[in-house]
Amino acid sequence: MTATLDRAFARRWVDAFATDFERERARLTELDRAAGDGDFGANLRSALGKVQQRLAADPQTARAVFAAVSDAFLDTGGTSGPLFGMWFRALSRALPETDPADVTQLAEGVREGTATVQRLGGAEVGDKTMVDAMVPAVAALTDATGTGPQQALTAAAEAAEAGAASTEDLVARRGRASYVGEVARGVLDPGALAVALFFRAGARALDG
C-alpha cells in the first residue's frame, strides 16, 4: 500500500492514538499523580471521547479531521487539553484544503503547533513537559522532508520517544510538576509520553 497523508490515514492515526492512549491510560494517570494533580489521564480520555463525537460528522480531509481533534481538545478541562488543542489546530491549518498532504506540510504544522505551546506555556526543552517530546519530533520531521511519510513519522516517533525518556531524570521547571521539585525526579512526564504515543500511532497507521 502506498503511504498517503489523506483523510483515511488521519482517521486511522487518530483511532490508533486513542487505542494506544487507552492502553497506557492507567500508567499516564499514575505518572501524573506522582508529579502533578493526577487528572491527566481523565482529561485526555474526555478529550478523545469528544473527538469521536466530532468525527461522527465525517470530515472529508486530513485538515478537517485534525480541526475536529483540535476542537475536542480545546473543549476539555485542565492545562493539557487546551495546549494539545492549540497544537492540533496549528497542525490542521498547515495541511492543504484538499488531500493529500505531504511531509513538508506535516512538519510545518507540528513546528507551528510546538511554537504555540511554547509561547503559551513558556516551556523549553529540559523543563520536563510535553515540549521535550515535541521539539525533537519537529527536528526529525524537518530532517525527513523529501522522504516518504513512513520514514518521516517513524523518525518523529523515535525522536519523541527519546525526548519523553529524557524527562525521567529532570527536575521540572514548568507545569504542575514544578511545584514538587525533586519529588518528580525519576518520573516520566506524562504529556511528553502522550506526544510520543501520538507519533508512534501515526507511524503504525500508515501501515493501514
Side-chain angles (χ1 to χ4, degrees), residues 108-124:
E108 177 63 14
V110 174
R111 186 191 70 77
E112 287 291 337
T114 300
T116 299
V117 168
Q118 290 187 273
R119 184 169 64 253
L120 293 173
E124 301 291 340

Side-chain angles (χ1 to χ4, degrees), residues 20 39 56 89 115-116 142 189 196:
D20 291 353
D39 65 351
R89 175 174 288 181
T116 299
T142 301
D189 180 72

Side-chain angles (χ1 to χ4, degrees), residues 5-158:
L5 301 178
D6 58 8
R7 167 192 172 277
F9 160 66
R11 289 294 301 265
R12 291 197 307 271
W13 189 350
V14 173
D15 288 345
F17 176 51
T19 297
D20 291 353
F21 163 76
E22 192 59 33
R23 186 189 66 238
E24 296 291 336
R25 179 169 59 87
R27 180 189 181 199
L28 292 168
T29 298
E30 285 305 312
L31 289 171
D32 196 43
R33 284 176 180 157
D37 53 13
D39 65 351
F40 183 79
N43 285 342
L44 257 67
R45 190 182 205 189
S46 174
L48 288 168
K50 293 175 182 179
V51 166
Q52 292 305 314
Q53 294 173 12
R54 284 167 170 77
L55 291 181
D58 198 21
Q60 292 299 300
T61 63
R63 178 188 178 106
V65 168
F66 285 113
V69 173
S70 169
D71 289 344
F73 273 84
L74 287 170
D75 191 31
T76 302
T79 302
S80 55
L83 286 176
F84 273 115
M86 295 302 293
W87 191 63
F88 283 121
R89 175 174 288 181
L91 172 56
S92 168
R93 289 178 174 176
L95 301 182
E97 294 186 1
T98 57
D99 285 340
D102 60 33
V103 172
T104 299
Q105 292 162 328
L106 179 64
E108 177 63 14
V110 174
R111 186 191 70 77
E112 287 291 337
T114 300
T116 299
V117 168
Q118 290 187 273
R119 184 169 64 253
L120 293 173
E124 301 291 340
V125 171
D127 285 347
K128 199 181 181 85
T129 71
M130 62 178 70
V131 167
D132 287 290
M134 288 178 174
V135 169
V138 170
L141 282 173
T142 301
D143 289 346
T145 54
T147 70
Q150 185 73 65
Q151 182 176 339
L153 276 169
T154 298
E158 291 172 351

